[in-house]
Amino acid sequence: MPRSLALAVDFGGTKVEAALVDDRGRLVPGTRHRSATGATASSDELEAAVSHVVSAARASLPDHAWLVGVGVGAAGPVDVATGHVSPLNVPVWRGHPLRDLIAGLVPEAPVTLRIDGLCIALAEYWVGAGRDAANLLGMIVSTGVGGGLVLGGRAAPSPTGNGGHIGHVEVGGFDDVCACGGRGCLEAVASGPRTVAWARMQGFTGETGEDLAIAHAAGDPIAVAAVERAGTAIGHAVASAANLLDLDVVAIGGGFSRVSPALFEHARAALVERSAFPFVARVQVVPSGLSDEGPLVGAAALVHRPEFIA
Ligand SMILES: [Zn+2]
């Protein structure tokens, strides 16, 4: 059966992945490849990691299939005009030409690059929890907090490509210092590592989000308070976004979003507490409808559904 496939790439601060994805948002089995990146890797090592996964995915193209394009989701900030990336957690890359690097590896297909948060939002809108939700905020709550916006059924206009990054929206009542230079950013309050750090200041002895999840499930009062604090901050940030944008759905994924269902309960409660407006309270705050394949599916949407970003 002839098939048109996208080569999807997800570049992040801990790993880079590539896979072939069909026009219904499904990964082609056996084509997914991963390499480590990391804050201490050299630029040459990062380029080698990208080259390895992209070349391996390209080489796994099945018979009777062809590549229609390459979609790249990258940790930001990005510059979509130049295809350069400056990932906050990858300090050796500032203005690095990631799009051109990948274009050189796959000369037969056009390359489209966007920020990873937008790719998540597009994936949720295409095949995830936000299908048919014309106004959608996709969020990742993990090592950091990222996001992207679909408004009116397409990516929100964004001249540099960095729009929708709710992680650096300020949450009232908090002044936690953020790596972006701000204070009280959602990411500085509610990311997995920052939530664990807050819990440790209260006497928690675990070290990871997984430790916090286990402690929360056991009813540990510090873990319960830490998840409530993160969920409340998420709810307040979502309420601000809903006031600004009249959202239908907020779909939240990422490793730390699964710390406990209570994270969502606190976010929904804070949303209602924060605003008496029915148009804000109506927002559906839901878990991502995608597995950990979401970032790759969203990168593939850049290729298979170009009308989303037109
Ligand atoms: Zn910030």
Side-chain angles (χ1 to χ4, degrees), residues 167-168 178-182 185 187:
H168 300 286
C178 184
C180 77
C185 292
E187 175 168 297

Side-chain angles (χ1 to χ4, degrees), residues 6 62 154 168 173 206 216 299:
R154 38 174 66 187
H168 300 286
H216 189 282

Side-chain angles (χ1 to χ4, degrees), residues 3 5 20 28-29 31 57-66:
R3 288 194 295 173
L5 299 175
L20 300 175
V28 178
T31 68
R58 177 173 177 254
S60 57
L61 189 70
D63 292 341
H64 310 298
W66 64 93

